[in-house]
Structure formats: C-alpha cells, structure tokens
Amino acid sequence: MSKIISVSCIFGSNVFFVLLALLGIRYTGVENSNIYIIYTLFITTLSLLLFFHDALMKNRKMKVTLLFIPIIIFEIYLLTMLFSDVSSLASMFFYYYLLWSLPAFFMGIYLSWDNRHEYLFKSLDLILIFGSGAAIISTIFNVIQGSYSQGLAGGTNQTLSYVSAFVFGLNLFLNFSKYNIVRFRFAKNRLYNIFCVILLPFQLLSVIISGGRGGMVLLIIYLILFLIKTIKSYHSVKLSLFIFSVILTAMFFSFSLNNEIFNSGLERSFAYVGSGGLNWDGTSNRDSVYQDAINLIKERPLIGYGLFGYLSYYPNPHNLILEVLLSGGLLYLILFILIVFYISKKYLSITKKNKDMQFIGIIASFPIVMLMFSGTYMVSSELWFVLGFILSYKEKIE
C-alpha cells in the first residue's frame, strides 16, 4: 500500500487522470463531481502520515534546511496576506502547493531513506503500461470525436501530450538501455520487450494527435538523450530494436497522413517552428505573454513582486525563468541558479557512483520541460519530489 501511495503522490494529478482514462470516465470539473477533491485529500493525507510515521518511529535524522523550505514558503504566504492583497490565483497556487507539492517533497525525502527509491524504479514499468494505456485510449477517443481538445479523461490536451511523451521516454530507457534496476519478472520477458517496441509508435502518435508542443519537445529531448547514451555504449541489439520501432512508426505515419485530426495535431505540435526559425504565431500568443511579463520585470528588476504577490499583477507567465524574475527579481534568480547548480552537482555525483540513479533525471526532465512552457513550479509534484530526493539522499561511502 505504501508503494502505491508514494507513486501516486509523486505523479500527483496525472495519476488521477490516467486512472479515469483507463476506466473510461471523463472528469467534467468540481462543479459536477467531488471525486478529484476526495482523491487529492486521500493521497495527500496518507502521504503525510506515511512520511511522519516513518520519520518519528525510526527517529530519522534530517537536514534542518529541508524543513526550512516549506516553512519559508508558508511564512511568505502569510506575510503576503498581512501586508498586501492576495489574489484568488495566488491562494489557489498555495493550496495546491500544500496538497501536491509539499507531500511530494516529503515523499522524495522518504524514498531517499533505506534504498526505497528501488520501489519507485520497480514501479516504472507499471507507470509505463498504465500511462500508455490511458494515452492510447484517450487518443482513440479524440480521433473518434475529431478533436484533440478532449485531452486525457477530461484533463487538458497538454496533460495527454506530456503523459504520452513521458511514457515514451520511460519505454526508451527501461527497455532499450542497459540498467540494473530491480524490475518485475514480467518486465524481463522477451515478449514484454516486443510489446514495448510496438508501443513506441502509439506513444508517439498520442503526442502528435494531442497537439501538445511542450510534449513534443519533451519527447525529442528524451530521444536525443537516448541516442547519445545508446551510441556511446553501442548496444547493437537495443539499437536494432529501436530502428525496427522507427520503421513501424514510419508505417503508421503513412497510414495516418489522410487523417484530419492527425494532420492538425502534427501541425500544432510543430507550429512554433518556422522557415526562418522560431514562429511566434504558433505559440498561442506566448510572445505577447512573455513581453507583458518582461515589462513588469523591468519595473522591479531587483526584488520582483513576491513569491505570491506577483500574481496580483499578472497571471502565470508560463515560463520558469520569467516566473522567478517576477517573484524575486535578479536577487532571487541568482539564488535560484545557485540552488540549481548545487542540486545538479549532487545529482551528477550520485549518478557517477550509481548509473541507475539516472532515472531520477529522466523523471526530472518531465517537469523541467513543462515549466518552460506552462504551469508553475509551485504546483509541480514531480519537481518537488526530485528536489526532496536529491537534497536528502546520502551518498554511500565505498
């Protein structure tokens, strides 16, 4: 049970929509159903109980700085309430931080103890299967409906795009790269490997038909990282299987070219690419969104508008760097860069001693790419899990 709770906590609301898609249910919003609220409170409560029970019963020793992070965020929100008006959007971000990001942060700490990350790595094959099933079912539904906007079980088409790209990446690294992680017995079967080869074109088509630009960028990044790793290690069998899957994908493309929703999804997935470089007309007005955010940053370049205060001036800028600058200006950006540098350095040190830990980076790629195009880092359970895990993980001395 603890394994199911930990995985559900890490991948947050994405698990909710994957489960609904597999059940053939479409979520129509809180105004029609409380199921999302019930699910969120259930996972959040059990995750926190799991973490604090283990921390107290086993008298875990934690770095004090780990507890400072959520305390500082909580205090900043309270100070914003006391000294300025807090927008409804800021309150919503804070509540979702408490419900998804904070438990995921603690779950990262929890899984860093006693090699529990092996639970997560072992469950990646299940995430691959369930996520692929949900993506394919939703894609088929979208094709029948003739619209990519149906998304993943009532979620946005962006959710479908990123989930499809993520399971595509998992498929590549789990089944076509050499790792020594603990896996289920069925995952070691040759028939399962063949099944995963067949899944690749379907996962790619799900990304394309969803029309998600960010998901396509994530898929391309996974593909580049995989090719670099495969060519360096030169696994001929793995490479041959991958080439075979590429041929399958090309065949699927040839059959799909006359499909209207496929063509519209493909056009939208690469709409930002123009003959002369970046085409801003195909970015859903991101150029005007970014320009408005930059104009606000110029007014307060040094200290910004506050972690939650900027939302009273401007909604989410859909870009991680711009959000940091709006929140705390250049001072916060410098601090942010130093934190990223420290985490990256520790991650490289961890993976140097244990290459299997590269799966933490594979998971991290998902929210990092997404946050460059949409969302907010305050509400990203996958990102906060990675943050908690790397900061808490203690490297074993050989």
Side-chain angles (χ1 to χ4, degrees):
M1 183 65 177
S2 62
K3 299 174 185 178
I4 297 175
I5 294 301
S6 61
V7 173
S8 299
C9 175
I10 292 167
F11 295 101
S13 60
N14 289 317
V15 175
F16 172 79
F17 289 107
V18 164
L19 292 176
L20 287 190
L22 292 173
L23 294 172
I25 301 172
R26 298 194 65 75
Y27 181 63
T28 55
V30 292
E31 62 275 3
N32 298 316
S33 173
N34 291 324
I35 186 173
Y36 180 71
I37 297 174
I38 295 170
Y39 172 84
T40 302
L41 291 175
F42 178 74
I43 296 299
T44 299
T45 302
L46 290 183
S47 299
L48 292 176
L49 287 175
L50 182 64
F51 169 77
F52 285 109
H53 175 267
D54 185 82
L56 295 174
M57 291 298 293
K58 296 187 178 181
N59 195 24
R60 301 287 188 181
K61 294 181 180 180
M62 290 185 291
K63 297 178 181 178
V64 179
T65 51
L66 291 176
L67 297 178
F68 277 163
I69 295 174
I71 291 172
I72 290 172
I73 291 174
F74 187 76
E75 288 181 347
I76 290 174
Y77 180 75
L78 289 180
L79 289 172
T80 306
M81 288 184 63
L82 289 173
F83 296 104
S84 63
D85 294 330
V86 176
S87 68
S88 58
L89 185 59
S91 296
M92 184 182 74
F93 279 5
F94 178 69
Y95 297 149
Y96 275 120
Y97 166 78
L98 294 179
L99 289 170
W100 285 124
S101 300
L102 182 61
F105 178 74
F106 284 138
M107 196 52 59
I109 300 173
Y110 173 80
L111 291 180
S112 72
W113 295 332
D114 300 336
N115 291 323
R116 287 199 184 110
H117 62 274
E118 293 180 357
Y119 302 167
L120 173 61
F121 291 172
K122 190 175 182 179
S123 69
L124 290 177
D125 278 295
L126 297 179
I127 295 170
L128 166 60
I129 294 170
F130 293 144
S132 298
I136 292 169
I137 290 171
S138 297
T139 300
I140 292 172
F141 179 83
N142 290 347
V143 171
I144 294 172
Q145 294 292 314
S147 173
Y148 62 78
S149 61
Q150 300 296 323
L152 181 68
T156 65
N157 67 303
Q158 292 292 335
T159 303
L160 174 57
S161 174
Y162 281 113
V163 169
S164 302
F166 180 60
V167 293
F168 179 88
L170 285 183
N171 197 348
L172 288 181
F173 289 98
L174 283 171
N175 299 294
F176 300 94
S177 297
K178 188 176 180 180
Y179 289 101
N180 296 316
I181 62 172
V182 177
R183 301 179 71 178
F184 289 102
R185 185 176 297 177
F186 73 83
K188 301 175 183 178
N189 191 292
R190 183 168 294 180
L191 288 176
Y192 176 73
N193 294 136
I194 296 172
F195 170 72
C196 288
V197 171
I198 297 171
L199 274 181
L200 280 171
F202 287 100
Q203 293 163 343
L204 176 57
L205 284 173
S206 293
V207 176
I208 293 173
I209 291 175
S210 69
R213 293 177 289 261
M216 181 55 69
V217 172
L218 177 61
L219 184 145
I220 292 171
I221 288 175
Y222 279 140
L223 194 57
I224 292 171
L225 292 174
F226 167 76
L227 289 174
I228 292 172
K229 179 176 176 59
T230 305
I231 292 171
K232 283 176 66 178
S233 55
Y234 191 67
H235 297 299
S236 57
V237 176
K238 303 288 186 181
L239 196 57
S240 299
L241 284 172
F242 177 71
I243 292 172
F244 174 70
S245 67
V246 170
I247 295 172
L248 277 180
T249 304
M251 293 172 62
F252 268 84
F253 274 141
S254 64
F255 288 118
S256 303
L257 287 176
N258 294 325
N259 185 282
E260 183 178 346
I261 189 172
F262 172 84
N263 287 330
S264 63
L266 184 63
E267 182 179 349
R268 193 174 189 275
S269 297
F270 293 98
Y272 54 87
V273 179
S275 57
L278 185 62
N279 177 24
W280 286 106
D281 292 334
T283 60
S284 299
N285 298 319
R286 285 290 194 272
D287 52 341
S288 59
V289 171
Y290 293 162
Q291 188 58 56
D292 291 342
I294 291 170
N295 291 337
L296 275 174
I297 292 168
K298 289 179 179 178
E299 295 180 12
R300 294 187 185 178
L302 194 60
I303 59 173
Y305 298 84
L307 193 62
F308 297 98
Y310 83 89
L311 292 165
S312 298
Y313 296 86
Y314 195 72
N316 189 1
H318 298 290
N319 180 272
L320 179 60
I321 304 302
L322 293 179
E323 184 180 1
V324 169
L325 287 168
L326 282 170
S327 300
L330 291 173
L331 292 178
Y332 185 31
L333 180 62
I334 293 171
L335 176 62
F336 185 83
I337 292 172
L338 291 174
I339 294 172
V340 170
F341 177 78
Y342 173 78
I343 293 173
S344 301
K345 185 179 178 181
K346 187 172 182 182
Y347 168 73
L348 292 174
S349 177
I350 293 171
T351 54
K352 186 176 181 180
K353 296 176 182 177
N354 184 356
K355 293 188 181 301
D356 294 343
M357 283 294 188
Q358 291 177 6
F359 276 103
I360 297 297
I362 294 168
I363 295 172
S365 300
F366 176 12
I368 291 172
V369 173
M370 182 182 68
L371 291 172
M372 297 307 295
F373 300 99
S374 59
T376 168
Y377 70 91
M378 290 301 297
V379 188
S380 176
S381 56
E382 296 88 357
L383 181 72
W384 284 92
F385 156 72
V386 171
L387 181 65
F389 182 89
I390 294 178
L391 289 176
S392 175
Y393 185 80
K394 293 182 180 178
E395 300 177 58
K396 296 177 178 60
I397 300 174
E398 299 294 340

